[in-house]
Amino acid sequence: MSAESGAGRPKASRTQRSAAGSVAFAAGVLLVLATATLGAFAAVALLGRAVDPGPLSSLVPGEGQHALIVGGIAAGGLTGLMLPVILFGMVRGNEDTPRVGPVAAGRKVLAVLVFDVLLLLVSLLVAQLGRLLPQQITTVVAVFAVGFSWMPLAMVPWERFGLGEAFGKPRGPSASHQAQ
């Protein structure tokens, strides 16, 4: 917290969004939510077919199938959420948030797909607990394991590997203060 009073600082100008802008924003939010939901349903449907009579039936025990479903919901929901956001970033931009170029967008899509594979591998690993534990406990463990599987990735210092910009850099008025 700062000891300064706000009297000496200039007031930030607030721009009003037009009615058409509000409608476009609401339509964009609904589209992103719809694609996230449809992505989750699609991933669950594909994984259900791969597990029951499919190639993963010998790999996933019957008590661990819900763990794979949890991973499918996470992976499909994340992909359905991020793809329209990345595409919107390619066509929408201003001085504070420039457009995302095709190479950067491709890198972001690749990062989402790699993370999806990580989520599915974690859920497949947790599904193996179905050999030892009842289905309800395996499902609860899967929710926590898949839900928190991103934490090790958040602790990696990506800037050291030259990937700081690949995962986004701070934007907006506070970005110039952080860069100094």
Side-chain angles (χ1 to χ4, degrees), residues 9-33:
R9 289 184 272 171
K11 301 241 182 208
S13 64
R14 294 186 61 145
T15 58
Q16 290 288 354
R17 185 178 287 155
S18 68
S22 295
V23 169
F25 178 76
V29 167
L30 288 175
L31 177 70
V32 167
L33 291 175

Side-chain angles (χ1 to χ4, degrees), residues 40-56:
F41 278 119
V44 168
L46 289 173
L47 285 173
R49 287 194 181 136
V51 170
D52 287 335
L56 295 179

Side-chain angles (χ1 to χ4, degrees), residues 96-98 100 108 168-175:
D96 293 333
T97 57
V100 176
K108 290 176 190 252
K169 57 183 179 179
R171 296 182 182 183
S174 64

